[in-house]
Amino acid sequence: HHFKMDSNVEEIRSKIILEEHAVVNSHSTSYPGSYVGYDDSWSFKKFKEDLRIEIIRMTDEQMEFDMIGVDAAIANAFRRILLSEVPTMAIEKVSVYNNTSIIQDEVLAHRLGLIPIFADPRLFEYRAEGDTDGSADDTIEFQLKVKCTWNLSASKDSTDPDELYKDHKVYTSHMKWIPIGQQTEMFKEGDIKPVLDDILIAKLRPGQELDLRLHCVKGIGKDHSKFSPVATASYRLLPDIELKGPVQGKLATKLQSCFPKGVIEIDDINGVSQARVANTRLDTCSREVLRHEDLKDLVKLSRFRDHFIFSVESTGALPPDVLVSEAIQILMSKCRLFIQELDDSGNEPT
């Protein structure tokens, strides 16, 4: 009986259980001594030993990694910092010298603001408050100058706009970087550009033109989502599927069909097909299996409380691994500031 109690406590501490009509154990206990016989007090040594980060998949835009051994609060802090506190460069001011297109100036400026800019924000300063001109340290400038004309060599009976007009679609490839001051020495041609060349900004007709100057500054997603460096940053808990006994024959095939492809595999054991849990990472935790009377008592679904599967998708200004390490730096500097404030307030005369 005592052993059963212990294994229950272990489960409550480490897993969230998915039942048919409820999710249990989703609370987290941050108080030492909540469970008899367990020392839950926080220690840096223990935290350091338990913490693991494993990179599962990484490309220039996307990254999937596991963060194991942290509390949901810390995992969520990283997610929120990635979304709203890692800085990037984005178009903030648009000087309109000429806009005879059908898009109003402010709509056009808003569209331009959302274009991700390929420029390393770590090489730039924040613009000082009240500074409207900017300098080489804190501003990137682009020129967008396009005029649409008739294509005189188009065939007489053509109705295709691509053939009839020249420069009638304004793309980000039309944006020309204008170096300011010492930026010519710091960056070479092609170092600073929109992340993608084929984002459609506007459509023109013959005689219409755009003549704009675009000024980019450094900012964070908290102020405006155009500064957010990620398209998505999310996490989920690692699912766990436990079969309480052998599941064989037709039942095994039925069990397999309740989960996404690859979660359950079927082995042939002495001529009998038997289900086996192959890869729980692929499970979406739909709990479909619990709808079937003949299956629901054979399976136990849960999720590991401290195993977070993160996916980070960059907008392209910085690679996702750099974004994650920047987020860690930001959290560290927040902690430093907090400790500093505590020290300062502790030293004040009461």
Side-chain angles (χ1 to χ4, degrees):
H1 177 76
H2 185 253
F3 167 74
K4 184 162 181 4
M5 179 65 195
D6 271 2
S7 64
N8 274 357
V9 169
E10 190 51 56
E11 186 174 84
I12 291 169
R13 287 173 75 244
S14 64
K15 287 179 183 172
I16 289 170
I17 311 294
L18 306 178
E19 290 179 352
E20 190 176 359
H21 301 295
V23 177
V24 283
N25 278 358
S26 56
H27 65 283
S28 74
T29 53
S30 43
Y31 303 108
S34 300
Y35 305 111
V36 180
Y38 285 93
D39 175 22
D40 279 341
S41 56
W42 194 88
S43 80
F44 180 63
K45 183 169 172 286
K46 197 166 89 179
F47 174 72
K48 204 169 156 182
E49 281 169 9
D50 291 348
L51 177 68
R52 294 208 317 279
I53 290 185
E54 294 168 8
I55 294 177
I56 309 297
R57 203 180 62 242
M58 191 158 99
T59 64
D60 292 346
E61 282 90 34
Q62 283 180 312
M63 172 180 179
E64 185 181 312
F65 67 95
D66 287 13
M67 194 182 277
I68 306 157
V70 298
D71 195 67
I74 295 181
N76 202 34
F78 284 125
R79 182 188 68 82
R80 291 182 56 159
I81 289 171
L82 278 166
L83 286 169
S84 64
E85 293 188 59
V86 176
T88 58
M89 304 295 287
I91 295 167
E92 174 78 353
K93 269 209 164 38
V94 178
S95 307
V96 182
Y97 296 109
N98 197 359
N99 171 18
T100 52
S101 76
I102 60 164
I103 302 182
Q104 303 94 320
D105 294 356
E106 48 275 76
V107 177
L108 187 60
H110 182 255
R111 282 179 72 81
L112 290 162
L114 296 172
I115 295 167
I117 304 295
F118 181 79
D120 192 331
R122 295 169 297 181
L123 303 174
F124 294 90
E125 303 292 326
Y126 286 104
R127 193 186 270 194
E129 214 168 306
D131 178 5
T132 48
D133 301 334
S135 67
D137 297 328
D138 57 32
T139 306
I140 300 172
E141 201 172 306
F142 289 95
Q143 182 183 41
L144 183 60
K145 196 170 183 174
V146 188
K147 184 169 186 171
C148 177
T149 53
W150 289 98
N151 179 13
L152 301 174
S153 57
S155 64
K156 291 275 182 286
D157 49 0
S158 172
T159 54
D160 179 12
D162 289 336
E163 204 181 327
L164 288 173
Y165 318 124
K166 282 182 178 168
D167 283 332
H168 74 111
K169 284 182 176 172
V170 182
Y171 288 110
T172 39
S173 54
H174 288 101
M175 284 167 58
K176 184 171 172 283
W177 171 54
I178 313 266
I180 309 169
Q182 78 269 26
Q183 286 181 355
T184 31
E185 292 119 54
M186 281 178 69
F187 308 101
K188 56 184 190 303
E189 192 68 46
D191 274 1
I192 291 179
K193 58 181 195 290
V195 169
L196 297 167
D197 282 342
D198 57 353
I199 299 173
L200 185 65
I201 297 170
K203 288 185 178 181
L204 305 178
R205 284 295 177 262
Q208 297 182 350
E209 63 178 299
L210 290 177
D211 184 359
L212 317 169
R213 277 293 178 104
L214 322 171
H215 305 267
C216 305
V217 298
K218 181 173 173 173
I220 56 174
K222 207 191 270 188
D223 296 330
H224 194 297
S225 62
K226 68 184 175 186
F227 292 113
S228 184
V230 290
T232 60
S234 61
Y235 60 76
R236 57 196 180 96
L237 293 173
L238 178 72
D240 184 45
I241 300 164
E242 204 182 305
L243 298 181
K244 293 181 180 176
V247 181
Q248 296 171 330
K250 280 189 175 157
L251 212 52
T253 320
K254 187 174 177 183
L255 180 77
Q256 188 181 36
S257 69
C258 289
F259 292 95
K261 197 168 180 275
V263 177
I264 304 284
E265 294 292 344
I266 292 178
D267 300 329
D268 191 336
I269 298 172
N270 304 332
V272 180
S273 49
Q274 183 161 329
R276 162 177 64 86
V277 178
N279 187 354
T280 56
R281 280 183 86 86
L282 302 172
D283 187 28
T284 53
C285 293
S286 65
R287 294 191 273 178
E288 166 69 20
V289 64
L290 301 179
R291 293 177 56 210
H292 302 278
E293 287 298 328
D294 49 355
L295 287 174
K296 69 179 190 187
D297 296 329
L298 296 171
V299 182
K300 182 168 191 181
L301 304 177
S302 53
R303 304 185 104 172
F304 289 101
R305 192 192 289 282
D306 65 347
H307 188 136
F308 297 91
I309 301 172
F310 266 86
S311 68
V312 176
E313 190 180 316
S314 165
T315 54
L318 288 172
D321 55 326
V322 175
L323 292 179
V324 173
S325 54
E326 285 294 297
I328 293 169
Q329 294 294 330
I330 289 169
L331 188 58
M332 281 161 66
S333 64
K334 280 174 178 284
C335 297
R336 272 189 222 107
L337 184 70
F338 187 63
I339 291 167
Q340 180 71 44
E341 292 285 321
L342 283 177
D343 287 352
D344 291 353
S345 62
N347 297 336
E348 283 170 20
T350 45

